[in-house]
Amino acid sequence: MSTQIQSQQTTQQRIEAIKSAFVKLLPQHMLKNPVMGIVWLGTLITAFSTLAGYTEWLFGSLVTIILFITVLFANYAEAIAEARGRGQASSLRQARQNLVARKLESLQNRTTHEIAATQLKINDFIEVHAGELIPADGEIIEGFATINEAAVTGESAPVLREAGTDRSGVIGGTKVLTDSIIVQVTADSGNSFLDRMIALVEGSNRQKTPNEIALGILLMVMTLTFVMVVASLPFIASYLQISISPVVLVALLVCLIPTTIGGLLPAIGIAGMNRALKANVLAKSGKAVEVAGDIDVLLLDKTGTITYGDRQATAFYPLTSVSEADLRMAAWVSSLADPTPEGKSIVKLAREQGLQAIEPENAEFIAFNASSRISGVNLENGQQIRKGALDAILKFVQHSQADVELKARVEQVASKGATPLVVANQQHILGVIELSDVIKHGIKEKFARLREMGIKTVMVTGDNPLTAAAIAAEAGVDDYIAEARPEDKLACIRKEQQDGHLVAMVGDGTNDAPALAQADIGLAMNSGTQAAKEAGNMVDLDSDPTKLLAVVEIGKQQLITRGALTTFSLANDVSKYFAILPALFAAAIPQMQKLNIMQLSSPHNAILAALIFNAIIIPLLIPIALRGVKFKPSTATQLLRRNMLIYGVGGVILPFIAIKAIDLILVHILAI
């Protein structure tokens, strides 16, 4: 059934593309593609020349029809790429239709009233319950919920979003499955994540990449050069007493200018964006996709990127003078009011290990804060139990340094890539809790592939050097930066860029935003904060940091595809010279008959055969432009050699065979 639906969608896309190909004949569209614009102008000239009687009626009509078809094929190549984008956009639109918001008067006044989602503004507060669609982009400021993001990512598995974490961002049109949340709106109607996605996949906001602009300028210069060459031919022909009709001059010009790549260039750019979206990566511009193909340094935030980010308590390590039961009890009671995933996991581990205790009454719970870097509880009997980083606990118990046993315990935990959390009661240190952060599955193999492609991977983390080294070794990254602050990430990126490297940064937190903005490629995780997604020029809808491997391959594939088809297009022109030039001058200059290598039947047939080949090669290359040339990790020299052999030599030989075959068919048809 799904195959039948897909077939219907493909048929619908082709019908839309055919209609759009005719619409693109309007001047405002043709001016965007100067090469094909000149072919369209030439079509009108040949039509006028034929009707005015400046050339043989049958020959002029055939040339006009072939040129018209050439322009339509080029328009169709761009239109079919855009139609695919519109198909993706239509499914996205369904996610935001007729949404209603339950708006709060304020955080203090929880009175709600329903309004249309389109009326929401930045900083409005909305309440969303289980079973409801989130009406706008925003940040969860209260509560947590599991959310189905299939409307955006295509992934049916629900994800957890929670206030106060790096996974607090939500997207309008996604569905809350459990619990209820308070969301602060971060985007006005029309500027939401879905709105930007729709505009990008439809191609309406597609900016040309630097390479595409440079190639476009080259093609325009070549076209203008050949226009001047062809314009000078009547003067040369009159000197040789040869009369050349306008139809023949237009045919020569169309065969000389790079029409093949000119017709396919827009489709290649659009297809690159579509391939990125198919990989569930939203590229905010075609430039981002292309630059990804050239990066050679990759910086990755550890938490939530290389690891899952939810550290879980896995073991208690008491000091020699302390029983494990005492450490377990102290860790448990100090974490009862701790809302973080780490605190909850400590309570859970203590219970799993057999702790049976009643929650204390009249206890004063101390929440974690950035200045003290500790949390805990003050009990009614005067006990002060704290847990936190080693240096913070040493400061709390007023010790200048850790004793040998405590230092060994901390290093033991850190050397395993886990985070040590020290527990103290009053002035006595009880032991260490081990918090483990799990590395994402398959990440080491993907980092190895990045290394094969010449990309250096650097892990950036706030962990201590021992923990960072253990995680880096397990994940397989090339280098790491420990105890890093946001400004350290920024400094590292700037240093690499000053050394001439193109740098990619992968992150998900608000503290990653400056680095994501500075990097040449900033890949933000969809599970991350709104600030990170705004700062990056790409958003990974699957929140998979190794997705950059796919992004790099897509970027390289786009560069290779454009290079390969440009090589093929220019190589084609060599063969067409041997078809057209002898047809023009062989009668007056018999020596030029030697250039008629293909032994074409007549000048008119030679011109028609070259034009027909010029027209049909465009639709034949559309699948390659849309799918892309297959990418294989290789050096620049190997890549150049492969392209020149397949698309260079092949681009010269194929037209010789095809034009000769078309000529034989024309001889047979016209004889009838």
Side-chain angles (χ1 to χ4, degrees):
M1 189 68 180
S2 59
T3 306
Q4 185 178 358
I5 293 172
Q6 189 174 8
S7 176
Q8 290 174 349
Q9 290 175 340
T10 303
T11 303
Q12 184 62 33
Q13 287 176 3
R14 288 174 179 168
I15 293 171
E16 287 180 16
I18 292 170
K19 292 178 182 176
S20 182
F22 283 93
V23 172
K24 288 178 181 292
L25 293 173
L26 295 173
Q28 62 266 34
H29 292 289
M30 296 309 302
L31 287 173
K32 295 178 182 178
N33 190 341
V35 175
M36 298 315 300
I38 288 176
V39 177
W40 179 223
L41 179 62
T43 306
L44 299 177
I45 292 172
T46 58
F48 175 78
S49 299
T50 303
L51 293 173
Y54 291 119
T55 189
E56 184 184 337
W57 185 86
L58 177 61
F59 174 69
S61 299
L62 289 173
V63 170
T64 302
I65 292 169
I66 294 168
L67 292 181
F68 182 67
I69 291 172
T70 302
V71 177
L72 283 181
F73 281 159
N75 289 349
Y76 178 79
E78 182 178 4
I80 193 69
E82 290 175 346
R84 289 188 175 190
R86 282 193 293 271
Q88 293 170 323
S90 63
S91 63
L92 292 173
R93 280 197 179 92
Q94 294 174 3
R96 63 170 193 176
Q97 290 178 350
N98 303 321
L99 291 182
V100 176
R102 189 182 292 106
K103 181 184 174 184
L104 299 178
E105 290 295 334
S106 67
L107 286 180
Q108 291 73 34
N109 181 3
R110 295 301 177 95
T111 304
T112 64
H113 62 278
E114 292 189 352
I115 63 171
T118 53
Q119 296 177 357
L120 288 171
K121 297 179 181 178
I122 292 177
N123 294 328
D124 281 348
F125 297 99
I126 53 177
E127 188 177 57
V128 191
H129 298 297
E132 296 177 347
L133 293 176
I134 298 171
D137 292 0
E139 293 277 348
I140 300 176
I141 60 169
E142 187 177 304
F144 60 89
T146 53
I147 296 174
N148 182 354
E149 296 185 342
V152 176
T153 67
E155 177 58 56
S156 59
V159 295
L160 179 65
R161 296 286 180 260
E162 185 173 2
T165 70
D166 280 346
R167 299 184 178 186
S168 59
V170 292
I171 301 172
T174 56
K175 188 174 185 178
V176 175
L177 299 179
T178 63
D179 304 288
S180 63
I181 50 177
I182 303 295
V183 176
Q184 183 175 11
V185 177
T186 57
D188 289 323
S189 178
N191 294 312
S192 70
F193 191 75
L194 278 178
D195 288 315
R196 292 199 301 273
M197 284 184 70
I198 290 167
L200 286 165
V201 299
E202 284 184 328
S204 57
N205 282 358
R206 191 183 78 87
Q207 295 179 334
K208 291 185 178 181
T209 66
N211 281 344
E212 192 175 350
I213 293 170
L215 181 56
I217 293 171
L218 173 63
L219 297 182
M220 195 61 217
V221 169
M222 291 178 64
T223 300
L224 290 175
T225 302
F226 284 122
V227 166
M228 289 187 286
V229 169
V230 171
S232 67
L233 282 179
F235 301 101
I236 299 172
S238 63
Y239 177 76
L240 297 172
Q241 297 181 345
I242 300 173
S243 176
I244 304 178
S245 74
V247 173
V248 172
L249 288 174
V250 170
L252 174 62
L253 176 63
V254 171
C255 286
L256 292 179
I257 64 177
T259 51
T260 305
I261 188 60
L264 294 173
L265 194 58
I268 295 170
I270 296 170
M273 298 275 289
N274 289 344
R275 281 196 295 273
L277 191 63
K278 187 174 283 188
N280 262 5
V281 174
L282 173 62
K284 296 183 180 179
S285 70
K287 179 182 177 181
V289 176
E290 194 166 282
V291 171
D294 289 328
I295 67 160
D296 49 10
V297 175
L298 167 62
L299 268 68
L300 303 102
D301 182 51
K302 186 207 78 171
T303 306
T305 304
I306 291 177
T307 63
Y308 284 104
D310 293 332
R311 294 180 299 177
Q312 303 291 309
T314 51
F316 297 112
Y317 296 102
L319 299 184
T320 304
S321 59
V322 180
S323 70
E324 187 168 346
D326 288 342
L327 173 60
R328 190 182 299 121
M329 172 63 80
W332 172 77
V333 76
S334 66
S335 303
L336 284 173
D338 189 342
T340 64
E342 293 90 342
K344 293 174 183 177
S345 72
I346 292 171
V347 172
K348 181 181 177 183
L349 180 64
R351 291 291 191 191
E352 287 175 350
Q353 292 188 356
L355 176 69
Q356 294 181 352
I358 300 173
E359 293 186 18
E361 296 181 357
N362 301 321
E364 179 191 1
F365 292 100
I366 310 300
F368 175 86
N369 66 72
S371 59
S372 66
R373 295 193 296 139
I374 58 176
S375 63
V377 62
N378 294 334
L379 299 178
E380 193 176 23
N381 60 11
Q383 293 187 60
Q384 295 181 326
I385 302 174
R386 299 290 186 272
K387 67 179 190 295
L390 174 61
D391 56 342
I393 292 297
L394 288 175
K395 185 177 180 181
F396 171 73
V397 299
Q398 299 178 353
H399 288 186
S400 59
Q401 60 182 13
D403 60 32
V404 175
E405 184 186 6
L406 176 59
K407 191 174 181 180
R409 286 294 191 191
V410 169
E411 290 181 355
Q412 176 190 356
V413 172
S415 64
K416 295 162 61 177
T419 301
L421 205 61
V422 181
V423 181
N425 186 352
Q426 301 290 91
Q427 304 301 310
H428 305 288
I429 295 178
L430 304 179
V432 177
I433 305 170
E434 179 182 280
L435 298 175
S436 299
D437 198 357
V438 181
I439 289 177
K440 293 185 176 181
H441 178 69
I443 201 164
K444 188 170 186 176
E445 292 76 11
K446 291 182 179 179
F447 284 156
R449 283 201 64 192
L450 286 169
R451 194 176 300 111
E452 288 176 6
M453 295 164 65
I455 298 172
K456 174 186 174 184
T457 52
V458 181
M459 182 186 77
V460 185
T461 176
D463 290 337
N464 63 64
L466 278 174
T467 302
I471 293 286
E474 188 178 352
V477 296
D478 298 316
D479 199 0
Y480 65 89
I481 301 174
E483 297 177 341
R485 300 163 298 172
E487 52 266 35
D488 295 328
K489 300 175 186 179
L490 202 57
C492 178
I493 291 173
R494 286 173 175 164
K495 181 181 180 301
E496 294 287 355
Q497 288 172 331
Q498 287 171 1
D499 292 340
H501 298 292
L502 284 175
V503 183
M505 170 72 190
V506 179
D508 65 345
T510 301
N511 64 336
D512 295 324
L516 287 167
Q518 176 67 36
D520 299 287
I521 292 296
L523 180 63
M525 300 293 101
N526 185 43
S527 62
T529 61
Q530 190 70 22
K533 288 186 281 191
E534 290 292 339
N537 49 20
M538 288 186 175
V539 178
D540 176 18
L541 303 178
D542 292 330
S543 301
D544 176 7
T546 61
K547 184 66 68 62
L548 190 72
L549 177 63
V551 173
V552 169
E553 290 183 350
I554 289 168
K556 288 185 180 295
Q557 187 180 44
Q558 182 163 329
L559 290 168
I560 293 167
T561 301
R562 187 179 296 124
L565 294 184
T566 301
T567 303
F568 185 84
S569 176
L570 298 180
N572 277 187
D573 292 341
V574 175
S575 306
K576 287 180 281 189
Y577 300 156
F578 286 96
I580 297 286
L581 292 178
L584 286 178
F585 296 105
I589 309 174
Q591 291 84 352
M592 290 198 71
Q593 188 61 35
K594 293 179 181 178
L595 296 177
N596 188 12
I597 298 172
M598 291 175 272
Q599 295 298 306
L600 300 176
S601 57
S602 70
H604 279 184
N605 282 2
I607 293 170
L608 291 174
L611 287 176
I612 291 171
F613 172 79
N614 194 60
I616 63 175
I617 198 64
I618 293 176
L620 291 177
L621 292 175
I622 288 176
I624 296 177
L626 297 181
R627 186 179 63 249
V629 175
K630 188 175 181 181
F631 168 71
K632 293 180 180 178
S634 57
T635 64
T637 304
Q638 291 172 331
L639 191 60
L640 178 62
R641 188 185 301 122
R642 179 171 173 266
N643 270 357
M644 291 302 296
L645 181 63
I646 297 175
Y647 296 97
V649 177
V652 172
I653 295 173
L654 178 62
F656 276 100
I657 299 170
I659 290 172
K660 179 60 180 176
I662 294 169
D663 177 64
L664 293 174
I665 295 171
L666 288 175
V667 169
H668 179 71
I669 293 174
L670 296 179
I672 295 174

